[in-house]
Structure formats: structure tokens, C-alpha cells
Amino acid sequence: MTEKEEMLKGILIRSKALEEKVFKLKVQVNNLSDSERTSSKVFLDYVFSRGISDDIKEFLCMFKAGKKVRYQNFVIRNMVEHTIEYLYLCKNTALIPEYFGAKITIDMSNVTHENAAKEYRKIGQDRYENNRAKMKQMADDIGEGETTKNIPCLYDIFRIVSENCHNSYFQEIADEYSSVEVKNDLFSLQFVCLVLIKFLKLEDEQ
């Protein structure tokens, strides 16, 4: 079995475990009232577990279909960003109501081209009373801000994949037309596997 096949197998096994977790959490969430959900750790677990599970399925479909690596990177970037925020919220549970919008009121019917940027900011950073912490701050707080022992931390994965997204057209052209090769499909599998391991590790510890 090749290294890629080994990693794909590991991702599939962990993805199945996450799907089972999502099913169990949904049962618990269905027993919560609307007001309970917005401050509930169980609902937080469900929202993020479902999102990560969806991202994994999308990634695997693209990978198996041989879709361009740049599309895979967009999914991985979204997944690792939300994994960092999830772990941060699990450590700082007092922020859960703010994450679910307890401190903001949004009337999307009033959104125009002129005020759209300001209004959509409320959905993101302004949900938090003291503004949403930056990725590096969140990563440092959960011990994922610095790489050690040759295993990439979540923040480094976020930075690498973000750079790949920023430079996606160049990398594709480099692969196709020049002597510079940016073959990162193996990195994609490694990153997804690491994110899943770290996400599920926290789930197992709870």
C-alpha cells in the first residue's frame, strides 16, 4: 500500500467515526430548546462536527475525482480555520453564546451595496464583545501556534494552505509549464489527516 493509500484509509476511518459522532450529537441537539442551543456546548460540538464532516466528504470527492489541488486547498483552509476556532471555543466556553450571535442583531433586509461590508462584519468579528480573536491568538491559546517535533501545528497548516490559495494560479502554471514543481497533493492528504486527528482527539478527551 502506498503512502497516499495509507493516508486515504486513515482519513476514511476517522471520517466514519466523525459521522457517527454527528449522528449522536444530533439526537442530543434535538432535545434542546432554541434558547438552550445558543449557549450549549453540545450544539457547538454538533455544528463544528457536522461542518468538518461535510468538508471531509467534499475533499474526498475532489481528491478521488482528480480535481485541481487549488480546490482541495480551499476546503482544507476552511476546515483548519474552523478547527482552530472550535478548539479555542472549547477552551473558552464563556464565548459560546457570543459565537452564536447573542450580542448582535442583524437585519439583512437593510443590507445594500453601500453598507454590505459593514453589515457582514457583524456576522464575523463583531459577534464578539471584544472582537473575534485573530487566528494566531486562538492557535497560541490552544497550543497550536508553533510547530514542534516535525509535526505541523494547526496554525502552520492554516498559513501554508492560505499561501497555496493566494498563489494557486502560479502553482498550477509552474507545475504545467516550468521546471518548478509544486506537487502538494500529498501535503493535502497529510494536512486533512492531521486536522482530523486533532479534532477527534479533543472529542475523545471530552
Side-chain angles (χ1 to χ4, degrees), residues 30-131:
N30 287 340
N31 292 323
L32 298 175
S33 66
D34 289 344
S35 59
E36 288 174 325
R37 287 178 187 174
T38 56
S39 60
S40 166
K41 174 65 167 53
V42 171
F43 190 48
L44 184 82
D45 293 341
Y46 172 67
V47 168
F48 278 87
S49 296
R50 185 183 66 179
I52 295 294
S53 181
D54 288 344
D55 283 348
I56 294 294
K57 291 174 188 174
E58 193 66 32
F59 169 82
L60 288 172
C61 284
M62 288 191 290
F63 189 88
K64 292 176 180 178
K67 296 292 186 183
K68 295 181 183 296
V69 175
R70 73 169 183 262
Y71 300 130
Q72 299 171 30
N73 282 330
F74 293 142
V75 175
I76 298 171
R77 185 187 187 282
N78 186 63
M79 184 171 66
V80 70
E81 178 175 354
H82 284 88
T83 297
I84 290 171
E85 185 162 28
Y86 171 69
L87 300 180
Y88 176 76
L89 289 168
C90 287
K91 185 176 178 182
N92 300 276
T93 53
L95 294 175
I96 292 176
E98 292 183 34
Y99 175 82
F100 286 122
K103 295 186 178 296
I104 61 170
T105 302
I106 302 171
D107 183 0
M108 299 307 290
S109 64
N110 291 327
V111 174
T112 65
H113 290 300
E114 288 76 18
N115 69 5
K118 180 179 178 181
E119 292 300 313
Y120 276 99
R121 182 182 173 87
K122 293 179 182 177
I123 301 175
Q125 187 168 347
D126 290 350
R127 288 205 314 274
Y128 296 97
E129 185 173 357
N130 295 313
N131 290 330

Side-chain angles (χ1 to χ4, degrees), residues 145-164:
E146 299 290 339
T147 289
T148 57
K149 299 180 181 178
N150 295 321
I151 300 175
C153 66
L154 288 175
Y155 183 67
D156 275 355
I157 295 174
F158 174 75
R159 291 173 63 200
I160 292 166
V161 179
S162 294
E163 285 300 319
N164 287 342

